[in-house]
Structures are given as C-alpha cells and as structure tokens.
Amino acid sequence: MNVPNHIAIILDGNGRWAKAKGMPRSYGHVKGCANLETICDDMKELGVKYLTVYAFSTENWKRSREEVEGLMKLFRNYLKKCIKIAEKNKMKVKIIGDISAFDADIRQKIVELEEFSKDYTELHFQIALNYGSRDEIVRGMRRMALDAAEGRLRPEEIEENTIENYLDTAGIPDPDLLIRTSGEQRLSNFLLWQLAYTEFYFTDVPWPDFHKEELVKAIETYNHRDRRYGGVKEE
Ligand code: IPE
Ligand code: IPE
Ligand code: MG
C-alpha cells in the first residue's frame, strides 16, 4: 500500500452521530475527540508523515453558546492531554488558525504543547482551530502587504512559494489525500490554496465511527487514483 505523505481530514458528523443515539451533540464531540487520539496512533503506525485535521472553523462560532462552551472545554482538556500523546507518538503538534480569538488559558496551552513537541519528527500533526482558509489568506496577505510597504518585499519578487510562506501552513507540504466524513461533499473553507491538487475521499461514516479500517479503505481508494498534475499519464 502506497501511503500518502500528508492526509487532511474534515472531522464531520459528531452532532448527527450523537443525535442518532438519542444523545446531546456534546456527547458526539467527546467521542469525536477520543477518536482523534486513536487516529493519530493509526497514522503513525501506517507511516503517514503529516496529518492535518479541521476541528473548529471560523464559522463554528455561530453555534449555540452551550455547544461552543462545550467545545472550548474539550479543547482545554485535549490540549493538555495531547502533550502525552505527542510524547508517545513522537509527534510535532502545530495549531493552524487564528488563535487570538481564544481565552488566554487556551492560548497558553497551545504555546506549551507546540513548545513541548517542536523537535519531534515522526508525525507532523496540525490541528485547525478557529481556522478558515479565507481568514488565513487575509491574515497572510496583511502581513505580506506590510512587508512590501516597509520595503522588505518587492512586488515583482512575489511567487507562489512567497504566498505559501505567509500561510499558517508555511513549511508543510500540501495534502495528498483529503477525507471528509459524514456525507457532506464540500470544503467548508478548509485549505483552499493547499488542496489545489489533492485527491478527495468522501465517506458517509460519521467521524466518531471512523476507525482504522475506514482509514485503510480511504488509502486503498487513493492508491487507485491516477494523479496527473496537469500532465499526461505515463504508460
Ligand atoms: C464536526 O461535527 C465537529 C465540529 C464542527 C466542531 P459537527 O458538529 O459538524 O457534526 P454535525 O455535522 O452537526 O453532525
Ligand atoms: C466543517 O464542518 C468544520 C469542521 C469540521 C471543523 P461544519 O459542520 O462546520 O461544516 P458545514 O457547516 O456543514 O459546512
Ligand atoms: Mg458538521
């Protein structure tokens, strides 16, 4: 099996999964968060080098106060616990997104986790929190415009990799495979620039039920894809 170097996942369907069990949405988030731990182990075992997950979007603040508060509580617990998981899997954790919107204690936990795990290289694990691709581009372009205005960057020097360097994902290779669970077939503002040549895999399985067998199925499907990057298939 040819394992993709970088897998990105839109973790969707926690709410519907819980509702189908007659449980509150928050229960789905708890189970979804637990599944994130397991999937990191699976990725490492399979030899995936980069994993990026979409856990909270810039649009997710629109949810009820109760749901948002529940998610913040879960992030607090998870970020703390993630230090142990990072140590176990030798994984470097990076948060992408605009973390300035979070409470100070959450921001602090992010700093601690990133600092603790910064020298690990087995698995590079990016968690998108308060992430929106358009917001990422706006933030990046503001910094780029400032560098140009202050004479550090000449407009004629701007190339594709210059733009990449201003994104939250600077230095991280583009995903090879994008998985979205729970049936929806849209990007919901995830990695618009980075997914330009990524293969997409959609499954009806909701995130809390997406286990290793499902992951292997996604990778096997990916193995049958014919990636061309605009060229012609070699016979
Ligand atoms: C994904 O599950 C987790 C977050 C977006 C935080 P959802 O909460 O979107 O679950 P559904 O899509 O409503 O079932
Ligand atoms: C996308 O899921 C964001 C995350 C998984 C964090 P949503 O459930 O928020 O997306 P929509 O609203 O169905 O497009
Ligand atoms: Mg959803």
Side-chain angles (χ1 to χ4, degrees):
M1 199 166 65
N2 166 26
V3 176
N5 183 50
H6 185 173
I7 298 183
I9 313 182
I10 301 176
L11 315 173
D12 199 19
N14 293 349
R16 280 165 283 170
W17 178 89
K19 196 174 166 220
K21 294 192 151 30
M23 299 294 281
R25 293 179 59 83
S26 59
Y27 178 66
H29 294 316
V30 170
K31 290 294 179 186
C33 191
N35 196 39
L36 195 53
E37 286 184 46
T38 332
I39 217 82
C40 280
D41 298 350
D42 299 338
M43 292 284 178
K44 197 201 151 192
E45 239 178 80
L46 288 165
V48 175
K49 281 293 174 193
Y50 292 84
L51 168 66
T52 303
V53 300
Y54 202 9
F56 191 82
S57 76
T58 45
E59 287 72 33
N60 286 149
W61 299 105
K62 290 181 199 159
R63 297 186 176 195
S64 73
R65 214 183 92 176
E66 187 193 359
E67 182 167 351
V68 171
E69 276 174 7
L71 285 166
M72 294 303 140
K73 196 172 149 204
L74 208 55
F75 296 156
R76 281 187 171 89
N77 289 332
Y78 178 76
L79 289 165
K80 212 168 115 196
K81 213 168 169 190
C82 198
I83 290 195
K84 287 262 176 294
I85 307 168
E87 191 173 23
K88 182 182 68 173
N89 288 337
K90 305 257 179 299
M91 66 184 197
K92 175 176 178 168
V93 189
K94 183 181 162 60
I95 307 303
I96 60 169
D98 180 8
I99 67 160
S100 70
F102 293 116
D103 287 350
D105 70 305
I106 294 186
R107 295 200 307 268
Q108 180 57 30
K109 286 186 170 69
I110 290 173
V111 171
E112 281 165 19
L113 175 60
E114 289 185 337
E115 173 59 28
F116 176 84
S117 65
K118 70 178 191 321
D119 295 324
Y120 290 136
T121 56
E122 278 295 297
L123 175 66
H124 294 76
F125 181 38
Q126 291 69 237
I127 312 171
L129 290 179
N130 192 30
Y131 176 89
S133 193
R134 289 180 172 179
D135 177 67
E136 173 192 39
I137 292 170
V138 168
R139 286 183 288 105
M141 292 309 100
R142 280 189 185 148
R143 280 188 283 120
M144 189 159 97
L146 187 67
D147 284 345
E150 296 182 350
R152 288 184 293 272
L153 179 71
R154 291 212 314 263
E156 61 273 22
E157 286 170 356
I158 298 170
E159 293 182 343
E160 290 188 6
N161 69 357
T162 321
I163 293 182
E164 272 159 20
N165 287 336
Y166 283 94
L167 299 178
D168 297 346
T169 51
I172 295 161
D174 289 342
D176 299 289
L177 171 64
L178 169 82
I179 298 170
R180 181 166 184 152
T181 57
S182 211
E184 308 307 330
Q185 302 194 0
R186 55 179 171 256
L187 290 180
S188 304
N189 204 7
F190 191 43
L191 304 176
L192 302 181
W193 170 283
Q194 298 87 339
L195 296 174
Y197 264 102
T198 303
E199 295 292 329
F200 289 8
Y201 178 85
F202 298 105
T203 171
D204 288 335
V205 175
W207 173 247
D209 286 340
F210 188 91
H211 305 309
K212 194 173 178 185
E213 320 79 79
E214 297 298 330
L215 175 62
V216 169
K217 219 193 277 180
I219 296 174
E220 279 169 351
T221 305
Y222 166 84
N223 274 223
H224 289 100
R225 299 280 174 87
D226 167 22
R227 299 185 82 185
R228 295 185 177 199
Y229 303 98
V232 176
K233 191 188 180 192
E234 283 180 30
E235 296 300 336

